[in-house]
Every structure is written in C-alpha cells, then in structure tokens.
Amino acid sequence: MKNYDVTAEVSDKFSLRGRVFQKIRSDILNGVYKEREELKEVAIGEELGVSRTPVREAFRQLELEGLLQIIPNKGAYVTGITAEDVKDIYMIRSRLEGLAARWATEHITEEQIEEMEENVYLAEFHAQKGHMDQMTQLDNRFHEILYEACKSKMLEHLLKDYHDYVLRVRKKTLSTKRGLESNGEHRAILEAIKAKDADLAEQLAHTHMINAYENMVANGLKELCEEGTK
C-alpha cells in the first residue's frame, strides 16, 4: 500500500510535519473524517494551529498511503479503508505475523515473555467481565510485543501500520465472543514461542489472522466499513 521512504517517515515522526500527518491519518482511520469527505488545508491548519504547508505535505503522504485522493483544481478527498482493503491487509498480515512469530522464537527476551503472559491473563479477566475497551488495548499490546520481539525494525514498522489500518473495525468485532477466542489464540502462540517451536508459532500466528478476518466477515465487515461513508 506504501511506496514512500520508510526511513524518512520514521525519522520525521516527531517533527511538526510528522505530528500533523499522524493526527490526520488517525482521524481518517478512526472515522472522524468520512469516506468521500473533502479535507480543506486551511480549516485543518487552523484546527491544528499550523500553516498550510505541513497540512499540504501530510495530504501528499496520505495520498501515497491510499487514504486520500487529491484531484487537481478540486480538492483532497478521503478514500479510507474498504472491505476489500481489509481483506488484502489480513491476507498480507497473516503471512507477516507468522514471520514475526517465527523470528520471535529466536529473539524474545524473558521480560517480553513475562509481559505476554501477564497480557494474556489480564485479557482473559477483562473479556470475561465484558470490559471491551481494556480488551482492545491488551489485544493491541500483545501484537506490539510480538512485533518488538521479532527484532526486525522493518517488519515491526509494516505490521504496526497494517494494524492501525483496521483498528476501527477490530474494535467493533472484538466486542463479540471473538475477544475471548482471540486471547486463547494468543496464549497458544505464546506457548509455542516459549517452547522454541518456530514452525508451530508461525502457523498459529498465520491462523490467528485468518480467524480474525473470518470473524469480521461473519459480523458484517462490509457494513462496518460502509459506516464511514454515511
């Protein structure tokens, strides 16, 4: 989905341009801006307290991500994430998460294992209590630990971006019984990593993504994505 300079983006993350980009990107992915909505440089600049220049640069970067379409002499319009995009993301993630789990079996630290174990325990508790906000946060953190444990900054960067793209839809579907099922799959991945079984860890992480996508489809993925167009 991206073709811009990853290294430049990482180093620029905390600059003014980077902060403006991250804010607009987050608002698009969280549904603040709806699909086909026009984004105006002046209005967003005033809202964020910046000039038009960093907003314009952010628009260009968002167009490279496929989240905006800039039409010359007309304006910039939100394209957002469609159901087909979500499918593509999960099929790609299923392979990359498997690779991350494989590499994590080689590089994970005791501290990361302990954090994963605590994460799984707390997620089970909150899922049973119906605390879905906490469940979503813990689910996100489990994947972040996995990405960090694989010890590949390039793979970690890609997976975190793909994770962000589907965050709004994931929040909806984790509120179903999928939350508890997902945590059980996390536990199995963790046990495979602890056992240094790279083949099993990779397969479980791959299947985890496929299960997550199938659950989204079963819970009305197309309708969830189309909520942002209304």
Side-chain angles (χ1 to χ4, degrees):
M1 183 176 261
K2 297 186 178 182
N3 59 2
Y4 52 87
D5 187 338
V6 170
T7 304
E9 181 198 354
V10 171
S11 64
D12 195 45
K13 183 176 180 181
F14 299 107
S15 68
L16 175 61
R17 181 176 67 176
R19 292 196 301 272
V20 171
F21 165 74
Q22 292 293 338
K23 178 63 169 65
I24 301 172
R25 181 179 187 268
S26 175
D27 286 345
I28 292 173
L29 293 175
N30 284 296
V32 175
Y33 300 125
K34 307 304 182 185
E35 189 172 346
R36 294 192 290 273
E37 181 176 348
E38 182 180 3
L39 301 189
K40 298 183 180 295
E41 290 177 8
V42 173
I44 292 179
E46 290 176 352
E47 178 188 342
L48 300 180
V50 300
S51 70
R52 294 176 63 177
T53 300
V55 177
R56 185 180 303 116
E57 292 171 343
F59 281 7
R60 290 173 183 153
Q61 199 168 354
L62 289 162
E63 185 177 36
L64 291 174
E65 285 207 29
L67 297 177
L68 274 185
Q69 180 184 18
I70 299 175
I71 302 176
N73 302 318
K74 289 193 67 176
Y77 299 86
V78 175
T79 53
I81 299 294
T82 67
E84 190 61 34
D85 291 333
V86 173
K87 179 182 179 181
D88 290 347
I89 287 167
Y90 269 90
M91 294 308 103
I92 295 168
R93 276 187 71 191
S94 69
R95 298 299 180 183
L96 295 183
E97 294 253 353
L99 182 59
R102 171 173 286 279
W103 287 353
T105 63
E106 303 171 15
H107 302 293
I108 197 165
T109 65
E110 286 300 322
E111 291 77 12
Q112 287 168 330
I113 288 175
E114 289 174 4
E115 187 178 357
M116 273 190 167
E117 288 177 331
E118 182 179 12
N119 179 285
V120 168
Y121 173 80
L122 289 173
E124 182 175 358
F125 170 80
H126 286 298
Q128 291 175 341
K129 297 291 185 179
H131 301 159
M132 287 302 114
D133 285 342
Q134 292 91 331
M135 183 65 195
T136 300
Q137 292 172 10
L138 289 163
D139 185 278
N140 292 340
R141 182 56 191 156
F142 180 91
H143 288 274
E144 287 175 357
I145 302 167
L146 181 66
Y147 305 159
E148 293 161 7
C150 80
K151 290 294 186 290
S152 167
K153 66 180 180 181
M154 303 309 294
L155 183 55
E156 179 181 350
H157 177 76
L158 284 171
L159 281 167
K160 282 185 175 179
D161 273 350
Y162 283 131
H163 202 257
D164 288 346
Y165 290 149
V166 294
L167 187 58
R168 184 170 62 90
V169 180
R170 288 180 60 254
K171 284 180 179 178
K172 296 278 188 179
T173 54
L174 279 173
S175 64
T176 68
K177 67 176 183 178
R178 174 62 192 162
L180 198 55
E181 293 173 351
S182 177
N183 194 53
E185 292 167 13
H186 286 177
R187 182 183 294 279
I189 294 167
L190 171 60
E191 293 303 320
I193 291 173
K194 287 168 62 178
K196 300 296 182 183
D197 190 335
D199 290 340
L200 180 59
E202 181 173 19
Q203 182 57 50
L204 289 171
H206 170 76
T207 302
H208 177 56
M209 289 294 100
I210 299 300
N211 290 345
Y213 174 70
E214 290 179 349
N215 176 72
M216 287 181 175
V217 173
N219 282 279
L221 172 61
K222 185 176 181 181
E223 289 75 16
L224 288 172
C225 290
E226 287 176 350
E227 284 180 8
T229 69
K230 298 174 181 178

